[in-house]
């Protein structure tokens, strides 16, 4: 039985959504991060809540207000984001990894501010890889319907499909971030939504409208496959 795509489509279902950048400390006053504003993830949280879902937003540092009806958990690092997500997985029906998670962190965070005087040469920062939150969720014991994003500057389709496959995702939203003014830290976006057997192009639109379209695309597949 198919459910109608009414505003209350997601009544009784829980979404966990990651959003924003992560921040990886170098020393007590410095960090590695990226230009993610969090706007897309927050728009998704708002759209899912508007469609009746319980929404838990696991957010890196942003300047954004929490959307109405959304429960927000603030984190800084990728490891903190993973921990927060894992604690919410018990009752999670849909997971959307929208955060721009730092792929690497500093191997050993300096306990005091790094001083120029104490270094003859510029310091060499040693990096280690962060856990892949999306991949861990998708390969957990009882995985939710897992949706990822792919930010690419080249070979959009091939790279997105490889991520869909490698991370065992139900859907991936592929963004071409090579175009100036779109995607990262912008108000509008364009994207292609891929699943194993479908492809849906979304033209340039506001992140609000794109979020509604993505939540709708998830509903279509989620309810077609589970009922
Ligand atoms: N992601 C994640 N944890 C990470 C890295 C990425 O959860 N440590 C998620 C992002 O939230 C996004 C998806 O994985 O939904 C793809 O992120 P992206 O940076 O495009 O892909 P990577 O697998 O990190 O590959 P690369 O950066 O090399 O393109
Ligand atoms: Ca990455």
């Amino acid at each position: 039985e198919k459910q109608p795509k009414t505003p209350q489509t997601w009544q009784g279902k829980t979404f966990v959504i990651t959003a924003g950048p992560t921040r990886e400390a170098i020393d007590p006053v410095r960090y590695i991060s990226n230009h993610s504003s969090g706007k897309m993830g927050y728009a998704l949280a708002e759209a899912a809540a508007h469609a009746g879902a319980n929404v838990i937003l696991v957010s890196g540092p942003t300047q954004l207000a929490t959307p109405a009806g959304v429960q927000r958990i603030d984190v800084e690092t990728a490891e903190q984001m993973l921990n927060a997500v894992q604690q919410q997985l018990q009752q999670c029906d849909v997971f959307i990894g929208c955060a721009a998670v730092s792929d690497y962190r500093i191997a050993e965070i300096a306990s005091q501010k790094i001083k120029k005087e104490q270094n003859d040469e510029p310091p060499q920062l040693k990096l280690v890889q962060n856990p892949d939150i999306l991949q861990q969720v998708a390969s957990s014991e009882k995985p939710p319907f897992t949706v990822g994003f792919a930010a690419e500057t080249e070979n959009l389709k091939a790279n997105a499909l490889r991520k869909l496959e490698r991370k065992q995702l139900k859907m991936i939203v592929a963004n071409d971030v090579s175009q100036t003014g779109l995607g990262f830290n912008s108000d509008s976006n364009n994207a292609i939504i891929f699943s194993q057997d479908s492809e849906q192009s979304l033209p340039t639109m506001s992140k609000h409208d794109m979020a509604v379209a993505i939540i709708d695309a998830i509903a279509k597949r989620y309810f077609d496959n589970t009922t």
Side-chain angles (χ1 to χ4, degrees), residues 18 78 95 97-103 130-135 147-152 163 166-167 172:
T18 66
F95 177 81
C98 191
V101 182
S102 179
D103 291 330
N130 269 327
D132 191 310
I133 300 164
L134 186 63
Q135 192 157 6
V147 181
F149 275 70
E152 307 293 346
K163 279 175 193 168
R166 178 162 52 87
K167 304 194 189 194
I172 193 154

Side-chain angles (χ1 to χ4, degrees), residues 124-223:
Q124 304 285 313
L125 299 179
K126 188 173 177 229
L127 303 178
V128 294
Q129 200 169 312
N130 269 327
D132 191 310
I133 300 164
L134 186 63
Q135 192 157 6
Q136 290 207 16
V137 169
S139 62
S140 62
E141 206 172 314
K142 209 173 138 277
F145 187 100
T146 305
V147 181
F149 275 70
E152 307 293 346
T153 57
E154 58 181 1
N155 303 326
L156 182 70
K157 182 170 181 175
N159 282 333
L161 288 177
R162 193 159 48 226
K163 279 175 193 168
L164 181 80
E165 195 64 37
R166 178 162 52 87
K167 304 194 189 194
Q168 303 171 62
L169 308 176
K170 289 279 196 277
M171 282 176 45
I172 193 154
V173 182
N175 279 154
D176 182 345
V177 290
S178 66
Q179 301 159 78
T180 50
L182 283 180
F184 266 54
N185 200 21
S186 152
D187 287 321
S188 55
N189 214 352
N190 63 26
I192 308 176
I193 304 176
F194 294 101
S195 72
Q196 291 277 358
D197 55 9
S198 73
E199 174 174 341
Q200 180 190 352
S201 286
L202 300 176
T204 301
M205 60 178 88
S206 71
K207 287 184 175 175
H208 172 271
D209 289 351
M210 178 155 294
V212 172
I214 291 168
I215 297 300
D216 216 55
I218 294 172
K220 226 169 170 178
R221 302 210 64 98
Y222 181 90
F223 291 109

Side-chain angles (χ1 to χ4, degrees), residues 21-25 31-33 60-63 75-78 80 100 102:
T22 66
R23 192 179 271 185
E24 311 293 336
Y31 58 83
I32 296 175
S33 192
T62 71
Q63 302 293 321
V75 298
E76 286 204 348
T77 69
Q80 289 167 359
S102 179

